[in-house]
Amino acid sequence: MINKTKPPKWRSFLGGVICLGLSIVGFWVAFYGEDIQGGIPFIAEAANQVIGRVVFGIGAVITGLLAIVAFRELVTSKSK
């Protein structure tokens, strides 16, 4: 049987803060970070930079959305 109780508020808050922090780091790397090392060896360095920044940006967006969900859970939760 599935437990349908809401998690405690501190869990939602902590999850939201962690996800928000990771999202901020991802956005910083995507927009302001130094050159990203590595990549696909047989394509140009500029293309590798774009691919790396897009991947970090997508991860930052997904993590930011998870932070929004966690904070929404915090606001709408009726548990302790």
Side-chain angles (χ1 to χ4, degrees):
M1 183 166 196
I2 297 174
N3 185 3
K4 294 190 178 196
T5 60
K6 299 264 185 181
K9 285 189 172 193
W10 67 268
R11 285 185 189 174
S12 298
F13 176 75
L14 189 60
V17 168
I18 290 170
C19 287
L20 182 65
L22 290 172
S23 179
I24 289 170
V25 169
F27 279 120
W28 178 79
V29 169
F31 291 113
Y32 304 111
E34 300 286 326
D35 288 343
I36 298 172
Q37 300 296 316
I40 303 170
F42 52 85
I43 64 172
E45 181 66 27
N48 274 327
Q49 292 297 317
V50 170
I51 291 170
R53 292 185 190 281
V54 167
V55 168
F56 268 98
I58 290 171
V61 168
I62 291 170
T63 311
L65 291 173
L66 289 172
I68 291 170
V69 169
F71 287 130
R72 184 172 160 251
E73 180 78 24
L74 175 68
V75 172
T76 61
S77 177
K78 294 180 182 175
S79 68
K80 335 176 204 179

